[in-house]
């Protein structure tokens, strides 16, 4: 459970650096190209962070199976 945390930190650091580079190269790119690059970086960041939702769902299901805690909201969330 702890291992993905450094991965997500790395993803966010790389995202910040890429966006910084795109902003600095603004005069060499058209406005449309810059917007597309920013949208691509945003989509890739969201895509890279999707597995955390699976981990959350698995954790909630495990907690409910072992009767650690049970709530209708948790059942509907999963």
């Amino acid at each position: 459970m702890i291992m993905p945390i450094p991965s997500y930190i790395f993803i966010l650091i790389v995202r910040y650096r890429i966006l910084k580079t795109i902003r600095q190269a603004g005069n060499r790119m058209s406005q449309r190209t810059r917007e597309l690059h920013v949208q691509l970086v945003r989509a890739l960041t969201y895509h890279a962070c999707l597995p955390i939702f699976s981990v959350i769902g698995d954790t909630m299901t495990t907690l409910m199976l072992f009767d650690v805690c049970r709530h209708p909201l948790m059942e509907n969330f999963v």
Side-chain angles (χ1 to χ4, degrees):
M1 295 295 290
I2 294 175
M3 194 57 196
I5 294 172
S7 300
Y8 292 121
I9 291 171
F10 176 75
I11 289 168
L12 294 175
I13 290 171
V14 170
R15 177 183 188 272
Y16 173 75
R17 288 183 180 172
I18 291 172
L19 290 175
K20 183 178 163 185
T21 304
I22 290 172
R23 282 189 216 109
Q24 290 174 351
N27 56 357
R28 292 178 292 197
M29 288 188 211
S30 71
Q31 179 68 23
R32 178 71 179 147
T33 303
R34 197 171 334 121
E35 288 175 13
L36 288 173
H37 278 77
V38 170
Q39 288 177 1
L40 177 63
V41 169
R42 186 179 304 132
L44 290 173
T45 303
Y46 292 153
H47 190 279
C49 291
L50 281 177
I52 194 70
F53 293 115
S54 297
V55 170
I56 291 170
D58 292 341
T59 303
M60 289 179 134
T61 302
T62 304
L63 290 174
M64 288 188 295
L65 285 174
F66 289 121
D67 286 329
V68 174
C69 61
R70 181 172 293 276
H71 191 274
L73 182 64
M74 287 176 65
E75 293 175 4
N76 291 330
F77 181 77
V78 174

